[in-house]
Amino acid sequence: MRLGAYTACLHDRPLTEALEILRGLGLDSAEINSGGFLPPAHLPVERLRSSQEERDEYLGLFAAAGVTLTALNCNGNPLDPNPEVGPRHAQDVRDGIELAALLGVGRVVTMSGLPAAEPGGRLPSWTVEPWHSVFLDARDYQWGEVAVPFWKDVQARAADADVKVCIEMHPHNVVYNPATLERLVGEVNATHVGAEMDPSHLFWQGIDPIAALERLGGLVYNAAAKDTRINPAARVNGVLDDRFRRVRPDEPGAVSLGGRYTLSRWPEDSSWDFVAVGRGHDVAFWREFLRALDKIDPGMAVNIEHEDQELDQLEGLRQATETLLEAAGRP
């Protein structure tokens, strides 16, 4: 099993420096952003597509650092009805598969996407708990007319390239839990579309990641190490907390997510937070998590995703790495 990190949290540093940081922490795997919500800061896409010589030189940077490039990541919304966002993110998925094959990387991580609730809709609409049949109408449109056709095409491209596409089960997507992942796999007869196991989004939904791994088994192709802390506010407001605030695109520190979209401002007294590995669940959990992954694929890559807003880049990575290495029984 390879333990590493998704380098998006080091986007402001050159790739060589980012790789040195990972290796210095005792990690040997890197996941690199290739598009989607975030720009490919560590991946010169067009240059790498241009020649084998360029690709060899790029992969040589990883070899020199003692780190393996294990996945490309293009998390975004490929089904967004916004013409400035959806088509570009969809193309990033297709390009990611092509580039992964050229680089000899067997995994592309992404999200399943979320369309509008009806034809002509302008905004994505998440349909959950469809107790009223109107929501079933929306869900049937989203799956039957948008998601399934798109993912059938992705499955065909991934199979041709022999690249596994790993869907992060993320709320505000059509696939957000094991049941919806299994549904998509069945609808598109997938052989090269499966799951990325990121437990952070499962924690706050009340899903046991270990039970999810046991259920999905060989459909899990890749894993993220990201933790979630459930806060006391969840006892009052539950985990479906809509007290987020808008961040204008021109505000200092605004994070663009494509088009006019930005990352919203988190509630001050939030129901839950993403935290560094070990700050939400202890070493005992992460040891069990790694064991469950090892049963599925002993060679699987597990890459830290650092989104702890209470810790800076290096401290968050350091704390996460220490927990993960201890859980893996590595000095």
Side-chain angles (χ1 to χ4, degrees):
M1 179 174 287
R2 293 192 177 276
L3 304 180
Y6 174 37
T7 66
C9 65
L10 300 171
H11 64 90
D12 58 341
R13 300 166 187 257
L15 175 61
T16 51
E17 183 180 348
L19 295 177
E20 288 172 3
I21 289 170
L22 300 194
R23 194 58 189 159
L25 290 169
L27 301 171
D28 61 5
S29 168
E31 182 175 319
I32 303 292
N33 198 70
S34 63
F37 291 135
L38 303 176
H42 292 149
L43 195 76
V45 175
E46 292 309 315
R47 201 181 85 208
L48 293 174
R49 295 170 82 173
S50 69
S51 74
Q52 185 61 50
E53 182 179 0
E54 292 284 359
R55 294 190 287 274
D56 290 342
E57 181 180 341
Y58 180 75
L59 292 172
L61 300 177
F62 293 82
V67 175
T68 299
L69 174 57
T70 53
L72 301 184
N73 185 308
C74 53
N75 275 338
N77 185 358
L79 308 182
D80 195 316
N82 185 333
E84 295 182 12
V85 178
R88 182 174 66 81
H89 289 185
Q91 188 60 44
D92 285 345
V93 174
R94 293 186 284 265
D95 290 346
I97 293 169
E98 177 191 355
L99 188 54
L102 289 172
L103 288 168
V105 177
R107 302 290 185 268
V108 171
V109 178
T110 191
M111 295 174 181
S112 59
L114 184 68
E118 60 184 348
R122 298 175 52 249
L123 302 174
S125 179
W126 192 33
T127 303
V128 292
E129 298 296 335
W131 63 272
H132 188 307
S133 65
V134 68
F135 302 116
L136 291 174
D137 293 342
R139 187 188 69 181
D140 290 348
Y141 164 74
Q142 291 176 315
W143 278 81
E145 298 189 39
V146 186
V148 170
F150 173 79
W151 281 99
K152 281 185 175 179
D153 177 68
V154 171
Q155 155 61 27
R157 292 170 184 268
D160 286 345
D162 195 22
V163 169
K164 297 293 181 70
V165 178
C166 317
I167 294 177
E168 182 174 348
M169 294 176 284
H170 194 300
H172 288 280
N173 284 266
V174 294
V175 170
Y176 55 90
N177 62 11
T180 49
L181 188 282
E182 289 176 324
R183 179 181 179 187
L184 184 65
V185 167
E187 292 271 3
V188 305
N189 297 314
T191 59
H192 285 69
V193 173
E196 183 208 34
M197 175 51 68
D198 180 342
S200 65
H201 304 292
L202 304 188
F203 285 137
W204 72 261
Q205 293 184 76
I207 299 169
D208 177 357
I210 308 302
L213 283 169
E214 292 171 350
R215 171 66 187 228
L216 293 174
L219 289 177
V220 178
Y221 299 146
N222 199 69
K226 188 169 77 169
D227 211 343
T228 302
R229 179 184 64 213
I230 307 300
N231 298 324
R235 297 173 59 190
V236 176
N237 294 313
V239 297
L240 298 179
D241 186 351
D242 78 340
R243 296 173 298 144
F244 290 73
R245 290 181 292 152
R246 188 180 305 278
V247 177
R248 297 191 314 275
D250 59 351
E251 285 188 44
V255 177
S256 174
L257 296 180
R260 59 187 173 81
Y261 302 147
T262 61
L263 184 66
S264 301
R265 183 168 289 115
W266 215 260
E268 292 183 6
D269 181 23
S270 56
S271 292
W272 51 270
D273 291 296
F274 294 131
V275 293
V277 174
R279 297 189 68 219
H281 296 78
D282 61 15
V283 171
F285 166 80
W286 291 100
R287 184 178 297 117
E288 187 178 0
F289 181 72
L290 294 180
R291 285 174 178 168
L293 290 170
D294 185 71
K295 290 179 181 178
I296 295 170
D297 178 5
M300 189 176 298
V302 184
N303 292 313
I304 293 165
E305 187 173 350
H306 172 46
E307 293 186 10
D308 191 324
Q309 297 303 304
E310 297 168 0
L311 301 174
D312 66 24
Q313 295 168 307
L314 297 184
E315 182 59 21
L317 274 177
R318 184 189 64 78
Q319 288 196 26
T321 299
E322 288 178 355
T323 301
L324 205 59
L325 291 178
E326 182 180 352
R330 300 182 188 178

